[in-house]
């Protein structure tokens, strides 16, 4: 029965971000057919963060009326809303509305906001619900959360998203002037339509809903033992845990513990954990995704597609590693965060140099940027799992704050990147067919 519970927890986590991740990997098919073009990713980032009104409301409800919010009913509601909104997106994603003489993809923006509200609210509802199950199932949930990015990427790969070749087109000149020949990208028809892809995303939301239903009603699903037993188990685990990261030097280490959760961590350590959580999510959910096209398209459309797909693979791989090596070391957390940040800085530098970044005419450039994206997502995804495991042991309220900090960090990252991309035009997209670089 534990295997069944692992599978159900994984499928439940699958619905956490599947719709938003699906939108990102489908961009090469959506962008050519809407007026916003490649500015769409930055618009999506802002819409996703505006949808944080959902988790904000849930967090305030937990704070102001503790114990009054029925999480099961809320999860049923938001997952059903996500399924309906994704289904409607299949029919209205390319529709536009004229505003001030300019056509805008208003239906796509509205439906994106709705599915974003669902996915963002999952951070402060799904994780606290998992607190009802024994800790071993939390990693299975994180694997499912990672698969919510991987499965859409694999389906998009089978769909043939973004497969293109350059076509030589000659423009007709005047009688006294010759025509000009140039290469233009020609996208091959996808194996199936964007509408079918959105129906697939809706199906994944229904799978999530069904899994949650079974987790609630099946008598074979184990529940967390009473609080006294949980306390004894936590003390046993704490006795075997690694030495925690030293916020200050050994001679000045704070021995007073906070009243947060079990009180195991001091206030500086609690602040450190939540700062790292916000920083990692700001980078992985908003800052770097906003410039992924700028960092990859100069190397070609295939490079962009593989970076998006392999980065999606890296997320569940990190969760799978965490299942066998659930390290709680705050020192390891900091080391991996610094490593992931350094890799992210390289990706950002490449995006700033677009359309002529380093090694733009060399296959090594493509290999390095794809590898950078994989390592970036792998390291920071493992950091987020470490924090999830730590906060799981600190109780229900800690997981609620975990979800709130995740969305706060993502919001700050998105609001920071939007003016840089859309107002100040700091980044320039590369042309996959006409690269004029030395």
């Amino acid at each position: 029965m534990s295997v069944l519970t692992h599978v159900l927890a994984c499928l439940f986590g699958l619905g956490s971000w599947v719709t938003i991740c699906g939108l990102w990997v489908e961009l090469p098919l959506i962008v050519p057919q809407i007026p916003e073009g490649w500015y769409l990713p930055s618009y999506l980032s802002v819409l996703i963060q505006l949808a944080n009104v959902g988790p904000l409301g849930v967090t305030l409800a937990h704070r102001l009326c503790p114990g009054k919010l029925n999480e099961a009913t809320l999860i049923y509601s938001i997952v059903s809303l996500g399924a309906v909104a994704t289904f409607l997106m299949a029919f209205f994603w390319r529709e536009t509305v004229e505003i001030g003489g300019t056509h805008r993809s208003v239906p796509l923006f509205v439906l994106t906001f709705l599915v974003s509200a669902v996915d963002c609210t999952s951070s402060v509802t799904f994780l606290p619900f998992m607190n009802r199950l024994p800790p071993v199932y939390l990693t299975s949930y994180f694997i499912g959360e990672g698969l919510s990015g991987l499965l859409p990427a694999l389906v998009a790969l089978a769909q043939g998203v973004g497969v293109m070749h350059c076509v030589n087109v000659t423009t007709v000149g005047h009688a006294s002037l010759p025509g000009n020949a140039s290469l233009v990208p020609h996208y091959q028809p996808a194996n199936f339509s964007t509408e079918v892809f959105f129906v697939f995303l809706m199906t994944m939301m229904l799978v999530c809903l069904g899994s949650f239903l079974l987790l609630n009603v099946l008598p074979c699903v184990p529940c967390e033992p009473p609080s006294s037993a949980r306390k004894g188990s936590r003390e046993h685990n704490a006795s075997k845990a690694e030495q925690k990261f030293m916020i200050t030097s050994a001679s000045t280490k704070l021995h007073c513990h906070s009243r947060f959760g079990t009180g195991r961590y001091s206030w500086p350590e609690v602040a450190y954990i939540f700062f790292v959580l916000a920083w990692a999510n700001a980078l992985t959910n908003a800052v770097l995704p906003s410039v992924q096209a700028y960092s990859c398209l100069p190397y070609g459309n295939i490079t962009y597609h593989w970076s998006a797909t392999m980065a999606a693979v890296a997320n569940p791989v990190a969760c799978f590693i965490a299942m066998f090596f659930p390290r709680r070391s705050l020192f390891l957390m900091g080391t991996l965060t610094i490593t992931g940040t350094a890799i992210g800085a390289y990706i950002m530098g490449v995006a700033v140099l677009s359309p002529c970044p380093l090694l733009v005419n060399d296959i090594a450039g493509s290999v390095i940027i794809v590898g950078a994206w994989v390592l970036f997502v792998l390291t920071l995804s493992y950091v987020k799992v470490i924090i999830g495991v730590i906060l799981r042991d600190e109780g229900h309220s800690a997981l609620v704050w975990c979800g709130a900090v995740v969305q706060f960090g993502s919001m700050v990252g998105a609001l920071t990147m939007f003016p840089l991309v859309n107002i100040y035009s700091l980044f320039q997209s590369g042309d996959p067919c006409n690269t004029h670089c030395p």
Side-chain angles (χ1 to χ4, degrees):
M1 292 299 101
S2 64
V3 174
L4 174 62
T5 308
H6 277 294
V7 172
L8 291 177
C10 182
L11 294 178
F12 176 51
L14 184 64
S16 57
W17 291 97
V18 69
T19 48
I20 294 302
C21 292
L23 272 174
W24 283 110
V25 298
E26 194 71 1
L27 285 181
L29 286 183
I30 295 177
V31 163
Q33 302 185 57
I34 61 172
E36 288 76 16
W38 279 109
Y39 285 109
L40 180 63
S42 57
Y43 283 107
L44 291 183
S45 295
V46 172
L47 285 171
I48 292 170
Q49 305 318 317
L50 290 176
N52 280 309
V53 63
L56 176 62
V58 173
T59 304
L60 289 177
H62 278 293
R63 181 67 176 175
L64 301 177
C65 305
K68 298 294 182 66
L69 187 65
N70 190 323
E71 285 177 345
T73 302
L74 181 59
I75 292 175
Y76 282 126
S77 301
I78 64 173
V79 176
S80 299
L81 174 62
V84 172
T86 309
F87 180 73
L88 293 176
M89 196 174 287
F91 298 95
F92 298 104
W93 67 272
R94 73 174 80 199
E95 300 297 325
T96 61
V97 175
E98 186 173 349
I99 300 177
T102 304
H103 287 275
R104 296 294 182 188
S105 304
V106 175
L108 177 62
F109 291 161
V110 171
L111 292 172
T112 297
F113 175 81
L114 291 178
V115 298
S116 300
V118 171
D119 289 0
C120 292
T121 308
S122 71
S123 296
V124 293
T125 52
F126 286 18
L127 273 176
F129 170 79
M130 291 302 299
N131 190 56
R132 302 181 185 181
L133 304 181
V136 67
Y137 298 108
L138 183 62
T139 305
S140 297
Y141 167 82
F142 278 122
I143 291 177
E145 191 175 82
L147 290 175
S148 68
L150 174 60
L151 284 185
L154 294 179
V155 173
L157 189 64
Q159 185 185 16
V161 169
V163 177
M164 55 147 287
H165 57 272
C166 299
V167 178
N168 194 349
V169 175
T170 302
T171 58
V172 178
H174 297 288
S176 59
L177 297 173
N180 295 322
S182 62
L183 294 174
V184 297
H186 177 74
Y187 291 90
Q188 298 179 6
N191 296 325
F192 52 88
S193 67
T194 301
E195 289 77 8
V196 173
F197 183 82
F198 283 129
V199 171
F200 159 76
L201 297 181
M202 179 202 68
T203 304
M204 292 298 98
M205 294 299 295
L206 294 178
V207 168
C208 170
L209 183 62
S211 302
F212 178 67
L213 175 65
L214 293 177
L215 285 173
N216 270 291
V217 303
L218 286 182
C220 59
V221 174
C223 295
E224 178 72 307
S227 57
S228 60
R230 291 171 63 180
K231 182 178 179 181
S233 175
R234 286 171 182 165
E235 291 175 351
H236 176 69
N237 290 336
S239 66
K240 300 194 303 182
E242 301 176 41
Q243 183 180 6
K244 293 184 292 184
F245 176 68
M246 307 289 285
I247 300 297
T248 58
S249 64
S251 60
T252 59
K253 180 173 175 61
L254 295 174
H255 293 282
C256 57
H257 292 283
S258 69
R259 291 184 294 175
F260 180 82
T262 62
R264 183 183 308 160
Y265 297 98
S266 64
W267 280 121
E269 289 172 326
V270 172
Y272 165 72
I273 290 171
F274 280 123
F275 172 79
V276 171
L277 181 64
W279 178 259
N281 281 278
L283 293 183
T284 57
N285 296 346
V287 175
L288 271 301
S290 297
V291 300
Q292 186 169 24
Y294 300 104
S295 67
C296 297
L297 280 180
Y299 299 101
N301 206 64
I302 295 177
T303 300
Y304 170 75
H305 186 57
W306 274 104
S307 69
T309 303
M310 297 307 297
V313 172
N315 194 317
V317 168
C319 299
F320 187 76
I321 294 173
M323 175 177 285
F324 298 98
F325 301 98
R327 316 288 289 219
R328 291 174 172 81
S329 168
L330 300 190
F331 177 77
L332 177 62
M333 180 197 307
T335 301
L336 291 178
T337 301
I338 293 173
T339 302
T341 301
I343 298 172
Y346 171 78
I347 295 173
M348 181 63 70
V350 171
V352 170
L353 293 175
S354 176
C356 296
L358 300 173
L359 302 174
V360 67
N361 297 316
D362 196 324
I363 187 64
S366 298
V367 174
I368 291 174
I369 195 64
V370 172
W373 270 101
V374 171
L375 291 176
F376 166 75
V377 174
L378 187 68
T379 53
L380 294 186
S381 294
Y382 187 80
V383 167
K384 291 189 284 186
V385 175
I386 291 176
I387 297 176
V389 171
I390 289 174
L391 296 180
R392 168 62 180 77
D393 290 342
E394 297 302 303
H396 181 275
S397 62
L399 288 177
V400 173
W401 281 107
C402 175
V405 172
V406 165
Q407 297 309 320
F408 174 77
S410 302
M411 178 181 66
V412 171
L415 295 180
T416 301
M417 292 306 297
F418 184 81
L420 297 180
V421 174
N422 293 277
I423 299 177
Y424 299 108
S425 300
L426 183 61
F427 306 94
Q428 298 181 14
S429 180
D431 188 335
C433 291
N434 299 281
T435 302
H436 302 291
C437 299

